[in-house]
Amino acid sequence: MNILVTGGAGFIGSNHVRYLLRNSDDRVVNLDLLTYAGNLENLAGCEDDPRYRFVRGDIRDRELLRTLLRQEAIDSVVHFAAESHVDRSVEGPEVFITTNVLGTEILLEEARAAGVQRFVMVSTDEVYGSLGSEGRFTESSPLAPNSPYAASKASADLLCRAFFKTFGFPVVVTRCSNNYGPYQFPEKLIPLMIANALEGKPLPVYGDGLQVRDWLYVEDHCRAVDLALRRGRPGAVYNVGGGNEMRNLDLVRLLLDRLERSHDLIKFVADRPGHDRRYAIDAAYIGAEMGWAPTVDFATGLARTVDWYLAQRPWWEKIRSGAYTAYYDQMYGPAGRHAGDARVQ
Ligand code: NAD
Ligand code: DAU
C-alpha cells in the first residue's frame, strides 16, 4: 500500500509512522504542517528508510493534496492531523474548526476524488462527552461533546459518516481514549507532570483532581488504527480503550513516587471550564471483530514512559524553552486561566 499519514510529526502520528515502517512493507508519506505540536525530531532515523517521505504542508491545501495523492499513488489515508489540546481550544476555538473540521472535509473530498480505497479517521472518545460514575462509552452512545476541541472532532467524525453514507467512500472511524508514551508534547498531563517534577516546579492539578481518564499505551492505539485500516469494515466506528481507568490525582501521585519526588509539589489550580468528569471505553467490538486488546499494562507502560522522558530530557527541554514558555504563562502563570487554588472558592 501507499499510505498517506497526516499529522505524522505529532505524538501519535510519529509513533504510527514508526509502527508502519517496523511492521509493514508499505510506503509511508507523512504530511504535516509542523505546527507547535509537530516535531521532526520525533521521526529521527525514519528519513533513512527509502519507503518514507516527509512533506511539510496543510491538510487544508487542496492543490497540494491533489498533486500529492496522485504523484504518490496514495491508496490509503490515516488521518491524525488535528489541533489536539483541549485547553488551547478553550483559549481559541477557531483554529480547531478550520483544521479539524474544514481540514478533514477537504481531505475527504480530495481523497475521494483521487480514488483512495481506505480512509481511517482517528477520532476520539471525547466526542461522547462525560460519564457519571457508572457505565462505559459504546459505539452507540450519543455524541455529546463538551469542549470546542471535542465538538470539532465530533464534526469531523460525522463528516466521515456522511461521506460513507452519501458517497460510499470507505471511511473507518476509531474513537480512542487517552494515549500516553514517548514523544507526547509536554502540554498534556503525563509529560507535563514528569517535566515539572524533574524541574522541581509545582504540578498543576485541575479542580479536585478526581476526574477519571482511561489510559492506553500509544503503540496499542497504533495497532488498533492499523487493524482498522487493513481489516475495518467501511462505515464502521471502533472504540479503542485501555480498560484502565485512573483518577488524575492518583496518577500524578504515582508519577511523583516513581520519580522519587515529594507529593508536596502537587498544586490544586482552577479547573478547566467544561471539564469532562470521567471517560471509560467499552472496546468489546474491535476485540470481537479484529481480536484487538491492549498488550501493554499500565505499570509497564508508565515505567517505559517515565524512563523515556528521563533519557530524552533534551527533547522536552528544547520544547519547553521556546514558544511553550508563553503558553505556560498564559495557562499557569499568576494571571493565567489556571491560576489560584481550586479548593478556595
Ligand atoms: P498532536 O497535537 O501531538 O499532533 C498533531 C499533529 O498534527 C502535529 O504534528 C501537527 O503539526 C499536525 N497538524 C496540525 N494541523 C495540521 C494541518 N492543518 N495540516 C497538517 N498537519 C497538521 O496530536 P496527538 O495527540 O498525536 O493526536 C493525533 C490525533 O489523534 C488527533 O486527531 C487527536 O484528536 C487524536 N486522538 C488523540 C488522543 C490522545 O490521547 N492524544 C486520543 C484519541 C484520539
Ligand atoms: O480522551 C482522548 C483525548 O485525550 C484526546 O482526544 C485529546 O487529544 C488528548 O489531549 C486527551 O485529552 P484530555 O483533556 O483528557 O488530556 P490532558 O492530558 O489535557 O488532560 C488529562 C486530564 O488531566 C484531564 O482531566 C485534565 C487534567 N489536567 C491536565 C493538565 C494539562 C490537569 O489536571 N492538569 C493539567 O495541567
Side-chain angles (χ1 to χ4, degrees):
M1 288 197 287
N2 293 323
I3 305 176
L4 178 71
V5 174
T6 72
F11 163 46
I12 309 175
S14 61
N15 277 283
H16 197 72
V17 167
R18 289 176 185 281
Y19 180 92
L20 286 172
L21 294 177
R22 235 183 7 252
N23 295 297
S24 80
D25 298 324
D26 300 317
R27 179 164 167 71
V28 180
V29 178
N30 173 9
L31 173 67
D32 195 297
L33 185 57
L34 298 183
T35 66
Y36 80 92
N39 185 351
L40 287 182
E41 288 177 22
N42 299 0
L43 295 152
C46 295
E47 65 280 0
D48 300 334
D49 192 319
R51 291 178 297 136
Y52 173 72
R53 177 184 171 199
F54 173 73
V55 177
R56 183 173 192 180
D58 195 326
I59 53 166
R60 295 164 293 190
D61 184 341
R62 278 184 192 283
E63 292 306 318
L64 169 68
L65 286 175
R66 220 163 270 174
T67 308
L68 191 62
L69 289 163
R70 285 164 184 78
Q71 186 185 65
E72 293 287 350
I74 297 295
D75 46 41
S76 310
V77 174
V78 184
H79 178 34
F80 291 100
E83 288 295 330
S84 70
H85 193 38
V86 174
D87 293 318
R88 287 185 191 255
S89 83
V90 177
E91 294 302 300
E94 187 173 336
V95 70
F96 285 74
I97 307 308
T98 57
T99 293
N100 299 0
V101 187
L102 188 60
T104 299
E105 194 278 333
I106 291 171
L107 184 64
L108 283 166
E109 263 193 74
E110 294 305 325
R112 177 172 167 258
V116 163
Q117 296 300 305
R118 189 53 71 98
F119 187 112
V120 176
M121 166 69 198
V122 183
S123 187
T124 167
D125 64 353
E126 297 205 11
V127 299
Y128 296 122
S130 187
L131 288 166
S133 54
E134 297 293 313
R136 291 185 293 172
F137 297 127
T138 71
E139 287 81 356
S140 51
S141 298
L143 301 196
N146 291 320
S147 69
Y149 162 70
S152 71
K153 291 295 290 188
S155 307
D157 180 314
L158 291 179
L159 276 168
C160 291
R161 175 192 161 91
F163 267 67
F164 174 71
K165 292 280 183 189
T166 305
F167 306 115
F169 186 56
V171 186
V172 179
V173 174
T174 61
R175 295 181 185 150
C176 189
S177 62
N178 287 61
N179 285 212
Y180 69 102
Y183 302 109
Q184 186 165 31
F185 195 84
E187 66 190 351
K188 305 283 166 63
L189 181 72
I190 291 180
L192 176 71
M193 297 299 164
I194 296 173
N196 278 16
L198 290 175
E199 291 183 341
K201 293 185 177 150
L203 273 55
V205 170
Y206 296 166
D208 60 9
L210 301 183
Q211 308 82 7
V212 173
R213 295 293 182 268
D214 172 1
W215 295 96
L216 179 71
Y217 193 67
V218 62
E219 265 175 40
D220 276 327
H221 185 196
C222 295
R223 194 163 40 81
V225 167
D226 197 49
L227 276 172
L229 180 73
R230 290 166 208 278
R231 292 176 41 201
R233 260 191 320 103
V237 174
Y238 297 98
N239 277 357
V240 182
N244 177 53
E245 291 183 50
M246 185 148 305
R247 300 190 308 186
N248 292 339
L249 188 55
D250 297 333
L251 173 50
V252 170
R253 287 182 176 139
L254 211 60
L255 287 169
L256 285 168
D257 292 343
R258 181 132 198 117
L259 293 164
E260 298 178 343
R261 297 296 196 278
S262 162
H263 289 196
D264 292 345
L265 281 175
I266 293 173
K267 182 182 174 200
F268 290 92
V269 299
D271 207 352
R272 172 187 280 175
H275 198 173
D276 288 335
R277 194 67 180 167
R278 175 172 167 257
Y279 303 147
I281 276 282
D282 180 342
Y285 181 48
I286 191 172
E289 271 227 343
M290 299 194 273
W292 180 89
T295 60
V296 181
D297 66 77
F298 192 61
T300 309
L302 202 66
R304 245 187 238 173
T305 304
V306 169
D307 289 349
W308 190 88
Y309 281 90
L310 281 167
Q312 302 299 327
R313 206 168 163 140
W315 179 88
W316 54 263
E317 278 180 341
K318 191 166 159 194
I319 293 171
R320 279 162 61 102
S321 67
Y324 180 90
T325 319
Y327 162 80
Y328 198 87
D329 279 350
Q330 190 184 342
M331 288 292 164
Y332 303 104
R337 174 172 293 287
H338 299 290
D341 188 328
R343 297 160 307 172
V344 181
Q345 297 298 324

